[in-house]
Amino acid sequence: MKGTRDILPDEAELWRTVEQTIHEVMRNFNYREIRTPVLEQTELFARSIGELTDIVSKEMYTFADRSGESVTMRPEGTASTLRAFIQNNLGEQGSLTKLYYLGPMFRQERPQAGRLRQFHQFGAEAVGSMAPELDVEMMLVPLDICNRLGISKTSLLVNSVGCQRCRPAYKELLKAELIKIRTKLSPESRARVDQNPLRVLDSKDEGDRKLTASMPLMKDHLCDECSPHFSRVQDLLKALRIPFVIDGRLVRGLDYYTKTAFEITSRDLGSQDALAGGGRYDLLVEELGGKPAPGVGFAAGMERLMMVLEKQEIKTALGSALKIFLIGLDSESRSWAFETACALRARGISAETDYLERSLKAQLREANRQKAEYVLVVGGQELQSGAAKLKEMATGKESVVALSTFAHTFI
Ligand code: HAM
């Protein structure tokens, strides 16, 4: 199906390594995993992401189920995580709840490199604190994951999109400026001037960008709460020596943000260059029916991360998964090989044998193809003598092992 893809075994191995790194980094930062359903009530996304956003207005997989209820396959993880947070009372009064997730998301976008209809995100959400330190932590988590995987040459773009106190006045100011040039804007931006003027600023259209080059920016019109918050985020980044760029045009495609918004981009991604994006959403929990609680989070695209790994030729696949390949040369030794493979697997050792009655040569070729760490060849003679040669494939070293105790003494 258009915009979806299979993750074949070789690639799945790489995914597991990356996922392992994600789990480790999340544990280090003390985030706990949450798994929410793919299907949610449509209203959840309309209320959180915003009716007028591209995601909600044109990209969601929404349908009426058999009872007539409108359901949607989640286009992102924040809304679902907060719904679960509220429904399950995860946040005690005055506490901080740190959650992370990893899983498939669905958006009916026009497929292109780095843009899929079923894609995977990993992300984190922290609910219960206004501290700018947490905004910075949300940038550090994906940066640390990139670092550990060996990904270099990323850029961190940071902005503040203000809050309910300062944004409405700025929006009017911007709108008034945009109306003056409305007819020259691209059709997409023209349509946004009235309802969502901020999005005009992060239009990808070159003409729009030139026309809006000297427009007022939100970051220069922040209130006395948002302004020091933004300064503190920058000071913290500087203290940690994290390079960043202030991008006053960064708006993001979701409506729930207040104060900090950020993106991590990579030049190795082409036009869809965002590896990760996130920000603060201090009103969202309340908007979704929870007790008022500020929050901040990020999400990153797995497929885009994989694209960068490939582009930067980083090989992070797990080592050989197969410990031993047991080769049987006749029906009796094949049975022995199968039973011994089962005994080894029961001990937690990965083992494989032949199920296709292949020749010794073909079985050896298969063991090589499977990157088995060891090979044991057993025939009538070995069964009779009760001993066989165990070969370590990387070094070619051979040692004689006893068949009767092999399954219990190997490793
Ligand atoms: P987002 O910017 O929509 O933010 O998505 C985050 C990341 O998901 C993107 O930077 C990109 O890597 C990946 N992504 C998005 N759409 C696609 C697609 N169609 N194909 C492939 N990858 C894609 C959010 O989703 C927010 N929930 C982030 C957040 C969490 N903000 C606060 N907490």
Side-chain angles (χ1 to χ4, degrees):
M1 204 181 115
K2 225 171 147 189
T4 67
R5 56 192 295 275
D6 299 309
I7 300 163
L8 299 176
D10 276 349
E11 205 187 338
E13 212 167 281
L14 182 62
W15 276 62
R16 275 217 314 280
T17 321
V18 171
E19 283 164 5
Q20 212 167 299
T21 304
I22 293 165
H23 291 299
E24 272 168 28
V25 171
M26 292 295 185
R27 189 164 356 130
N28 286 352
F29 279 86
N30 198 28
Y31 285 79
R32 299 188 67 207
E33 189 180 2
I34 184 163
R35 302 186 188 198
T36 63
V38 162
L39 280 181
E40 295 276 0
Q41 290 175 335
T42 302
E43 200 201 302
L44 173 69
F45 302 114
R47 270 171 72 177
S48 53
I49 300 168
E51 300 268 9
L52 298 172
T53 58
D54 285 351
I55 298 178
V56 173
S57 66
K58 18 183 209 211
E59 294 167 1
M60 293 205 306
Y61 282 97
T62 296
F63 54 93
D65 69 7
R66 284 173 197 277
S67 67
E69 187 183 4
S70 178
V71 295
T72 293
M73 293 167 78
R74 60 178 185 194
E76 57 110 52
T78 309
S80 311
T81 302
L82 295 187
R83 194 245 338 115
F85 166 87
I86 296 164
Q87 245 170 34
N88 298 288
N89 291 317
L90 296 186
E92 281 164 41
Q93 205 68 45
S95 73
L96 175 66
T97 308
K98 294 168 79 169
L99 301 167
Y100 80 95
Y101 51 86
L102 204 162
M105 309 289 162
F106 305 82
R107 295 183 194 176
Q108 194 167 359
E109 296 193 76
R110 193 171 47 78
Q112 63 181 88
R115 198 202 259 164
L116 289 147
R117 291 182 166 177
Q118 172 168 345
F119 59 99
H120 297 74
Q121 279 186 347
F122 61 90
E125 315 292 345
V127 187
S129 166
M130 294 279 278
E133 282 79 1
L134 269 181
D135 305 31
V136 171
E137 187 167 298
M138 285 303 168
M139 302 171 198
L140 289 180
V141 172
L143 284 174
D144 195 23
I145 289 168
C146 285
N147 269 343
R148 278 182 193 230
L149 292 170
I151 290 176
S152 53
K153 296 181 284 183
T154 53
S155 306
L156 172 62
L157 313 177
V158 187
N159 193 19
S160 175
V161 294
C163 68
Q164 294 312 91
R165 277 176 61 209
C166 47
R167 195 160 40 201
Y170 164 74
K171 218 166 151 176
E172 287 311 311
L173 177 75
L174 178 65
K175 205 161 117 183
E177 289 300 314
L178 289 173
I179 284 170
K180 294 181 197 162
I181 52 153
R182 192 204 294 254
T183 52
K184 296 183 196 140
L185 289 169
S186 68
E188 215 179 10
S189 289
R190 217 177 299 155
R192 283 181 169 146
V193 170
D194 289 318
Q195 304 272 28
N196 207 351
L198 272 76
R199 281 304 304 279
V200 178
L201 291 184
D202 79 353
S203 161
K204 292 243 153 103
D205 183 279
E206 271 309 313
D208 288 351
R209 292 191 83 83
K210 272 193 199 127
L211 283 165
T212 56
S214 54
M215 292 268 150
L217 297 173
M218 183 71 243
K219 71 179 178 66
D220 302 318
H221 294 82
L222 297 174
C223 61
D224 57 7
E225 195 184 293
C226 292
S227 179
H229 188 97
F230 190 37
S231 302
R232 179 81 182 131
V233 167
Q234 294 173 52
D235 289 345
L236 288 165
L237 285 169
K238 282 179 201 153
L240 290 165
R241 295 180 203 287
I242 310 285
F244 66 97
V245 176
I246 295 178
D247 180 355
R249 286 168 166 258
L250 181 76
V251 175
R252 315 241 327 108
L254 305 100
D255 281 353
Y256 48 61
Y257 294 112
T258 50
K259 297 192 173 72
T260 312
F262 67 91
E263 271 182 10
I264 296 171
T265 59
S266 166
R267 264 180 290 146
D268 289 317
L269 277 176
S271 70
Q272 300 301 314
D273 66 349
L275 252 183
R280 185 161 272 289
Y281 44 79
D282 291 338
L283 306 170
L284 186 53
V285 175
E286 191 179 359
E287 269 162 23
L288 291 177
K291 288 195 206 92
V296 58
F298 86 93
M302 279 291 277
E303 285 81 0
R304 292 194 190 172
L305 197 74
M306 294 298 166
M307 280 172 73
V308 177
L309 284 175
E310 199 178 315
K311 200 77 190 269
Q312 300 188 359
E313 290 178 17
I314 299 167
K315 305 250 181 305
T316 45
L318 298 166
S320 162
L322 186 60
K323 198 81 195 169
I324 184 162
F325 196 103
L326 299 153
I327 296 179
L329 298 180
D330 54 28
S331 73
E332 212 183 329
S333 47
R334 277 174 199 283
S335 298
W336 182 88
F338 176 67
E339 283 162 28
T340 307
C342 292
L344 287 167
R345 292 162 180 166
R347 286 188 57 217
I349 296 164
S350 60
E352 185 57 299
T353 186
D354 176 59
Y355 300 92
L356 300 171
E357 300 199 7
R358 282 177 282 202
S359 67
L360 169 63
K361 205 169 144 198
Q363 288 194 57
L364 277 171
R365 210 182 306 129
E366 182 62 18
N368 252 324
R369 204 178 68 82
Q370 303 260 357
K371 300 192 187 80
E373 209 174 313
Y374 292 93
V375 166
L376 187 77
V377 184
V378 179
Q381 207 184 325
E382 282 77 13
L383 283 187
Q384 211 168 19
S385 68
K389 276 184 190 155
L390 178 72
K391 184 173 177 183
E392 191 178 2
M393 298 301 272
T395 58
K397 227 168 63 191
E398 290 185 330
S399 53
V400 177
V401 294
L403 297 186
S404 56
T405 54
F406 172 72
H408 302 284
T409 53
F410 179 66
I411 307 185

